[in-house]
Amino acid sequence: MFEDSATGALTAMIADSYRQESALIGRRLAAVAELLGRRTSEAEAEDPDCGYMIVTGLQRTSAEVAAAMNLSPGIASALVADAEALDSRFPKVMAVLMAGETDWRTVQIILKRTNLVRDPSVVAALDGRLSAGVGRWQSWSRKRVVDTVDAAVRALDPDAIRERESAEDKRHFDVVPVGDGTAKVDGTLDAESAVIVDERIASLARGVCPQDPRTLDQRRADAVAAMAKGLALACRCPACAGADTPTPTMGEACGARAVINVIADQFTVLGAGDKPGYLAGFGVVDAEVVRRMAERATLRVLTPPSVTPEQMKRYQPTAAVERFVRMRDLTCRFPGCDRPAERCDLDHTIPFNHVDPSSGGHTVADNLKCLCRQHHRLKTFHDGWRDLQLPDGTVVWTSPTGRVYRTAPGGVELFPRLGPPACVEPKPRRRNPSRERDRRIVRTREKNRALRPVNIAHRRLESARKHEIQNRKDGNRRRRTALLMARHRRSATPYLRWIDEPDQPEALPPDWRPPQGPDEPPF
């Protein structure tokens, strides 16, 4: 069928068919919900108190759906219940599914994680919030979707939080023999203890050399016994087989100290808010759990770290940069991957230039992201995948066939303060045009009052200067005219002595001032 199709066309076919499948599932669920409504109306018409009927509307619908889709009764009933919940509780999310902008797996997570919410106003608020963001979750892993939905539920419905916290009362730890020389270990722990145990087992499993013949699952299983005995996990490779049995160190004998990271809002830690936190390696935890762990924890303010020019030219990031990037991303940033950030490498989006570090690829938070070892190698050694990291931490991936995927950092999604400041629309300034006009008039009148005497003095001075220049020009002209008309030598007559005087300059110096008369006010 696809022998003559290009590779990019195959990828496009996969994506388009998945989108069409999601839209088709949405239409199917809408049809199931409509059928349920009609069968329920029929049952209510037969008996208003149809809850005690032998064959209810739900049972009638489930039977028809099971026959039409060749499903078992239990699966058909679950499908009808999901259709009813989606149609009555989350119509906006259902519209997104019918448009093919999300998938059925994500919608199932929403239905499952919100089944404890019963307040219609809270359900409506969740419907609006989740439908607005579900279209951006295309590249998210299942765990990340669960964390985001749980955070929204905890923020809007405290009663649902308390119901979920009651699950801690069911914690247990059982060892059940299975009869073939092994036993099954099963239990339920609180979130903090579970993360500590998991981290300790993982540390022991990683402590053997690479030549150990056991798989990772086998090493983790053997690490449980080593942890219980306070010993390091013994390596089983031929080179280490003859080594002495590991002896417990002081830290191992008393239990090694495990370091776990919790991200929470400042108001939650101080008891002024109930916004949930995030336990690294586990997921979203309630505010009370955060405060309980904060009582004996070292607190740090998680802010974008400052990096000196020398530090950004080093390949290894500083401890502050590494901590911020891991807490910002929470998981591997490749589309669909949910490996915890604590088990990921830090990748330079713009490759670090080992020859000339100052030319680019700096070791700063804006150029670093978490990638698990598998996807780190894929990005580094496969020329087909390209990535671009935006200032807000979003990574834009381009596949070998040219398809584009966007992954946003999980920490910013749960804690927006970890991201850059958002562009906030300026608030309109309250104005009163009438009062502003009155104030302008007052300022203008005051300015006129101050300038009036200055302008009067300036005009009088300019008038006096013009009058003085004109008088000098007139005097010089009369003198030259008198000399021209007198046909004799200049006489020493006292009445004509002014003729012998030199001409006056017809330009005045800048500091000239008119002479003051006895009765004239000073300028």
Side-chain angles (χ1 to χ4, degrees):
M1 181 183 297
F2 300 106
E3 288 82 359
D4 299 331
S5 300
T7 305
L10 294 177
T11 308
M13 174 63 69
I14 295 172
D16 292 342
S17 62
Y18 190 58
R19 179 185 177 95
Q20 294 172 7
E21 179 186 4
S22 300
L24 186 61
I25 292 176
R27 292 176 54 193
R28 180 192 303 161
L29 292 174
V32 171
E34 178 65 23
L35 179 62
L36 175 64
R38 295 184 182 183
R39 293 295 180 251
T40 302
S41 299
E42 294 175 0
E44 291 177 351
E46 297 174 6
D47 185 356
D49 191 10
C50 58
Y52 294 96
M53 294 184 65
I54 298 177
V55 182
T56 63
L58 176 62
Q59 293 171 335
R60 299 179 186 187
T61 307
S62 299
E64 294 185 66
V65 170
M69 298 179 62
N70 194 23
L71 301 177
S72 65
I75 296 178
S77 298
L79 179 62
V80 174
D82 288 341
E84 192 275 334
L86 192 61
D87 179 69
S88 61
R89 290 162 59 88
F90 297 98
K92 295 181 179 179
V93 175
M94 188 173 187
V96 176
L97 176 64
M98 295 179 64
E101 297 178 0
T102 187
D103 55 7
W104 175 231
R105 181 204 66 163
T106 302
V107 175
Q108 282 182 307
I109 294 175
I110 293 176
L111 295 178
K112 181 178 180 181
R113 310 302 290 192
T114 58
N115 60 352
L116 296 180
V117 182
R118 289 294 174 236
D119 189 345
S121 61
V122 176
V123 173
L126 283 172
D127 186 29
R129 176 181 297 189
L130 296 177
S131 62
V134 71
R136 297 183 287 105
W137 301 354
Q138 294 290 341
S139 300
W140 286 20
S141 65
R142 183 185 185 280
K143 184 177 184 301
R144 185 169 177 184
V145 175
V146 169
D147 291 339
T148 304
V149 176
D150 285 352
V153 172
R154 285 177 166 86
L156 296 177
D157 192 355
D159 292 338
I161 297 176
R162 288 194 290 271
E163 290 179 15
R164 291 168 188 259
E165 286 180 347
S166 64
E168 292 187 2
D169 297 335
K170 301 178 182 178
R171 58 187 182 273
H172 63 94
F173 190 83
D174 301 323
V175 179
V176 182
V178 272
D180 56 355
T182 60
K184 181 180 179 180
V185 179
D186 182 34
T188 299
L189 306 177
D190 63 89
E192 182 181 4
S193 301
V195 172
I196 293 175
V197 171
D198 181 70
E199 180 62 28
R200 180 59 180 150
I201 292 176
S203 177
L204 291 173
R206 293 192 300 264
V208 298
C209 67
Q211 287 73 31
D212 190 283
R214 292 168 294 182
T215 64
L216 178 60
D217 290 338
Q218 292 171 344
R219 295 199 305 269
R220 285 178 60 90
D222 295 342
V224 175
M227 180 179 62
K229 298 175 183 178
L231 301 175
L233 181 61
C235 183
R236 293 186 181 181
C237 72
C240 302
D244 296 335
T245 303
T247 56
T249 62
M250 180 179 296
E252 293 170 339
C254 62
R257 180 182 181 184
V259 178
I260 59 176
N261 293 307
V262 181
I263 312 174
D265 190 85
Q266 180 182 7
F267 297 104
T268 300
V269 176
L270 298 178
D274 292 326
K275 186 176 181 179
Y278 184 89
L279 177 58
F282 176 81
V284 178
V285 293
D286 302 316
E288 291 299 328
V289 177
V290 172
R291 284 189 281 268
R292 186 170 66 243
M293 290 188 289
E295 293 177 356
R296 55 186 185 279
T298 301
L299 303 180
R300 295 178 182 269
V301 178
L302 189 61
T303 56
S306 58
V307 183
T308 63
E310 293 76 14
Q311 292 172 339
M312 69 173 57
K313 297 177 184 177
R314 302 173 186 170
Y315 182 70
Q316 294 295 336
T318 63
V321 171
E322 180 177 357
R323 184 187 310 111
F324 176 79
V325 172
R326 295 189 187 279
M327 296 300 100
R328 179 198 66 190
D329 292 351
L330 298 183
T331 62
C332 173
R333 296 299 305 281
F334 194 82
C337 186
D338 60 355
R339 289 185 175 91
E342 290 75 17
R343 302 177 187 175
C344 292
D345 302 332
L346 292 189
D347 170 67
H348 289 77
T349 301
I350 301 176
F352 183 82
N353 192 327
H354 293 272
V355 179
D356 184 11
S358 61
S359 63
H362 294 156
T363 306
V364 294
D366 293 343
N367 191 45
L368 293 173
K369 62 181 178 297
C370 292
L371 286 181
C372 65
R373 185 61 54 85
Q374 174 187 353
H375 293 130
H376 193 183
R377 290 174 176 172
L378 178 69
K379 182 254 183 181
T380 303
F381 300 109
H382 191 335
D383 296 335
W385 284 94
R386 300 188 304 275
D387 55 338
L388 172 66
Q389 187 165 344
L390 305 182
D392 63 351
T394 299
V395 179
V396 181
W397 292 90
T398 304
S399 71
T401 58
R403 299 192 66 85
V404 177
Y405 306 89
R406 301 171 69 93
T407 62
V412 177
E413 191 75 24
L414 297 177
F415 305 96
R417 294 184 182 181
L418 292 179
C423 296
V424 181
E425 182 180 357
K427 295 182 179 180
R429 182 170 60 93
R430 298 185 60 183
R431 301 182 57 186
N432 189 319
S434 177
R435 294 184 179 180
E436 291 181 0
R437 184 176 60 253
D438 293 341
R439 286 194 291 268
R440 288 197 301 270
I441 293 175
V442 170
R443 289 194 298 268
T444 303
R445 289 174 60 87
E446 293 176 352
K447 182 179 180 180
N448 292 340
R449 187 179 302 111
L451 292 178
R452 185 179 300 108
V454 177
N455 292 335
I456 292 176
H458 179 71
R459 288 194 294 269
R460 291 181 60 184
L461 177 60
E462 290 298 317
S463 177
R465 289 173 65 89
K466 291 180 181 179
H467 183 70
E468 177 65 19
I469 292 174
Q470 189 63 38
N471 286 342
R472 292 186 180 187
K473 290 180 178 180
D474 292 343
N476 293 336
R477 187 181 68 254
R478 287 195 299 270
R479 184 179 297 106
R480 289 191 293 270
T481 302
L483 287 175
L484 181 63
M485 297 180 65
R487 298 184 179 277
H488 53 78
R489 297 180 64 182
R490 295 180 180 180
S491 172
T493 297
Y495 300 104
L496 298 177
R497 289 178 180 175
W498 61 276
I499 299 178
D500 298 331
E501 296 179 357
D503 290 347
Q504 295 182 347
E506 297 181 359
L508 299 179
D511 57 349
W512 181 89
R513 294 293 183 273
Q516 298 183 11
D519 299 329
E520 294 180 356
F523 283 91

